[in-house]
Amino acid sequence: MSAIDTDHFREQLLDERKRVVAALQNLHDDHPGSLTDESGDETAFDNHILDTATETYDRELDYTLEENSEHVLADIDAALKRIDDGTYGICTNKGEQIPLERLEARPWAMLCIDCQRERERR
């Protein structure tokens, strides 16, 4: 089992955290209110139906991106806590070291690749 340079991964996690927070802020800035608030119309139905559909699709896509970003942010925060606790880089399922290659690709990983694949199959 090789030693993990937690300072290196802490820096990567903090950089990624800043990026995700900025992306979330951008999504919030793009959509500060409801669809009606943004369009300025009393009712969204005044617009052509295709315009309304496009706006709705764009909003739903942004909500999905926002939800994904919030999950990644929570995973990053959990990884930073594991660094503080001294358990970073250990698969939370098997208790074995997560390969450095996986941590380089996804520094917030809490599962080894085999356990992650198993979780995704369920």
Side-chain angles (χ1 to χ4, degrees), residues 1-113:
M1 180 147 73
S2 61
I4 294 176
D5 181 359
T6 55
D7 290 338
H8 165 74
F9 287 108
R10 181 185 304 275
E11 186 176 320
Q12 278 192 331
L13 288 162
L14 290 173
D15 287 346
E16 186 65 14
R17 189 178 197 292
K18 285 180 196 171
R19 190 190 70 73
V20 172
V21 167
L24 279 168
Q25 185 60 49
N26 187 40
L27 287 169
H28 289 280
D29 291 346
D30 284 349
H31 302 293
S34 70
L35 191 57
T36 302
D37 293 340
E38 286 181 33
S39 68
D41 296 334
E42 287 299 314
T43 175
F45 298 111
D46 288 343
N47 293 333
H48 188 277
I49 191 149
L50 293 178
D51 292 337
T52 303
T54 299
E55 290 172 11
T56 302
Y57 173 79
D58 289 345
R59 176 63 74 96
E60 288 298 319
L61 180 61
D62 285 347
Y63 285 154
T64 301
L65 292 171
E66 182 178 5
E67 184 178 348
N68 183 54
S69 295
E70 288 170 350
H71 287 292
V72 170
L73 190 59
D75 289 346
I76 290 170
D77 289 341
L80 289 167
K81 183 173 182 341
R82 288 193 304 277
I83 288 174
D84 292 340
D85 294 344
T87 59
Y88 180 78
I90 305 298
C91 177
T92 58
N93 190 33
K94 287 184 178 179
E96 299 173 1
Q97 184 171 330
I98 298 170
L100 290 176
E101 296 83 9
R102 175 153 170 75
L103 293 174
E104 285 292 344
R106 178 164 263 158
W108 55 88
M110 63 181 207
L111 297 172
C112 66
I113 196 73

